[in-house]
Amino acid sequence: MMKKLLLILATLVVLCFAAAAEDIMYVTSPDGLRVRSEPNLSSAKIYVLYYGEYVLVDKIGEKATIDGITANWVKVNLFDAHDDVPAVSGWVFGGYLSKKEQDLGDAFSFIKTYLKNSKKPAYFAPFFPGEKDTVYLKDASEWNNIPSYNCALENLCQKNFYPENNAITIRECMYYHPPVLNSSLGYMAILPAGTKVKLFKTARYGIKNGVLFPIYEFITLGELEPVRGYIRGIDLTNINCTSSVSDGEGGSYNLYYQRALPHVNSEYQGTYEKVEEALNSVWTYEGAYLRDGYKMNAIYIKDPAGQCYYVDDYETNANSLELEYPLNMKKPVLCIKENHFSGGYGGGYISTKICTAELLYDTAKIRESFVYGYLSVDAGYEGMAYHYYTDSGAVTYEYQTDEMGNVEYNRHTYYGQNPGLPYVFWDGDSVNGEPEGKSQTFKKGQYVNPVCRLKMRVSPLLSSWTICSLQPGTLLKVEEVGEKQTIDGITANWVKVEPVNNDRSVDGELLKESFPAEETSAWVFGGYLE
């Protein structure tokens, strides 16, 4: 009956609260509280309420003494009658009720202790439970005396910047379902990490540990029985702020990061109206990008087994992050690629930082490996830079001209992987010129990546049609080994390759989404593979 009732509850959301504050009481018994058909201990048990859950008082009954406590029996309402679902109401002993909301600990403890350990699919609550270092701004009046905050999470409903309003949960989290037509009470339940949701609008705000975050109205995507309600922005990120890479064994590593706007803070005259104005303006987000002004508020990595690792003790103001797992290395390690931009509409300095990520217990240890970049502006400075991996390290390539078009440097640098500590890369020597190809032979199933921009062709001929140009460093798997040919003085096989991850081509198209299935596996000349 409970499962059927909750499915009916999920069909319609009325975003309002059904009871006045004086009608609400909270369960204080750590062992829970039984709801009975009549106001006595010998009557039938209808339901069990858990510590901290709330009830709506219908009427007050006679006094009784139980467990040495003298108090009234209280009749409470849980569900109203709806269609073929009968009303659920009953009696509880008032000695274990209080008008004071109970302390349920932090969100992690609440999920673990109350949502997961209970046998019920939902937990009755008037809103998100009270949490240490967290304040919920439920109406405009609560903005008068709010705690200070140093940044604000992006509004993922900002139409111009996030037109699809799609987001994903970065960790296992709770959501709140308000009372609907057949219920007197709202309830809490769990959404797993990696759940995709569609956001409708910003309903309220909260502040947690100095971070202002929106609370959204949402519905889950891709579910047979969609879930609706409120979800906290602190538990979400934009669908584009994720990255997934293959582990080479049928599983994947996933990266989720959450960007904040440090210039939207308490000094911004943080009233509700001004915050709404700032977080709904496209210029707020454009300005953050141009000033390299994002702050990574939270970063998680999920391994192929589904375990989440919090990236701790890692400061970065990157514009975006990408996960890499170079399977062409003898000892592949997870790497985080930081993409930075500093400049304006006329161009600026584009840089990349590569860090390794070692997963230990429930956190990820980050080590900086190498940094490279180039300047490209309308004044005449032009450049390019990229990196790729070898079997024992990585190579960066940097090309830069001055404002007159003279080449300032044109070099590639090798960074060797420490044999005893694979998460550490040693600085290597720089060599003038572009990375060069080499004569070599391949085998099926081998992992490789291009050392330069490399064309994917329909057939193993220079005259055949080009499907796209691959970015240097794109991870590929050899599907078929073709004939050898000598091109540019290099003798190597043509190889048919399949992109391992959903990387982008030189033109910015996603390799696994933008091309027909039969075209994602194509031919490249192996002399420029590593």
Side-chain angles (χ1 to χ4, degrees), residues 371-383:
V371 181
Y372 62 90
Y374 64 96
L375 180 66
S376 180
V377 296
D378 291 346
Y381 294 92
E382 290 293 341

Side-chain angles (χ1 to χ4, degrees), residues 12-78:
L12 179 64
V13 177
V14 179
L15 297 177
C16 60
F17 295 93
E22 59 267 25
D23 297 325
I24 295 175
M25 297 194 79
Y26 298 88
V27 177
T28 62
S29 170
D31 298 324
L33 184 61
R34 294 177 179 86
V35 182
R36 298 181 180 273
S37 60
E38 300 295 335
N40 58 73
L41 293 179
S42 60
S43 62
K45 301 170 189 175
I46 297 174
Y47 199 74
V48 176
L49 294 163
Y50 279 78
Y51 173 77
E53 284 194 282
Y54 84 129
V55 297
L56 297 181
V57 176
D58 184 12
K59 66 179 181 179
I60 306 299
E62 298 293 327
K63 282 190 177 181
T65 300
I66 301 173
D67 298 333
I69 302 171
T70 300
N72 297 87
W73 282 92
V74 177
K75 189 175 184 182
V76 298
N77 292 326
L78 303 181

Side-chain angles (χ1 to χ4, degrees), residues 327-396:
L327 291 166
N328 59 312
M329 298 180 70
K330 290 180 180 177
K331 295 182 179 179
V333 295
L334 274 179
C335 296
I336 294 178
K337 176 185 176 184
E338 298 183 16
N339 301 303
H340 294 261
F341 176 81
S342 181
Y345 289 109
Y349 188 71
I350 298 95
S351 63
T352 301
K353 180 191 290 186
I354 301 297
C355 301
T356 59
E358 183 178 9
L359 306 184
L360 298 167
Y361 304 105
D362 58 354
T363 61
K365 183 176 181 180
I366 306 300
R367 296 178 177 89
E368 181 179 325
S369 295
F370 50 87
V371 181
Y372 62 90
Y374 64 96
L375 180 66
S376 180
V377 296
D378 291 346
Y381 294 92
E382 290 293 341
M384 68 176 297
Y386 60 78
H387 73 280
Y388 62 89
Y389 293 95
T390 71
D391 63 350
S392 58
V395 176
T396 64

Side-chain angles (χ1 to χ4, degrees), residues 439 462 483-494 525 527-528:
S439 298
L462 286 178
E483 297 294 326
K484 281 194 172 183
Q485 188 174 353
T486 300
I487 301 174
D488 300 330
I490 301 168
T491 301
N493 300 96
W494 281 90
F525 178 60
Y528 295 101

Side-chain angles (χ1 to χ4, degrees), residues 352-354 369-373 384-390 393-399 409-416 425 427-435 451 472:
T352 301
K353 180 191 290 186
I354 301 297
S369 295
F370 50 87
V371 181
Y372 62 90
M384 68 176 297
Y386 60 78
H387 73 280
Y388 62 89
Y389 293 95
T390 71
V395 176
T396 64
Y397 173 61
E398 297 169 287
Y399 172 82
Y409 55 82
N410 178 30
R411 65 187 177 221
H412 60 279
T413 305
Y414 176 74
Y415 296 87
F425 286 77
D427 289 353
D429 295 331
S430 293
V431 179
N432 289 330
E434 299 178 58
V451 303

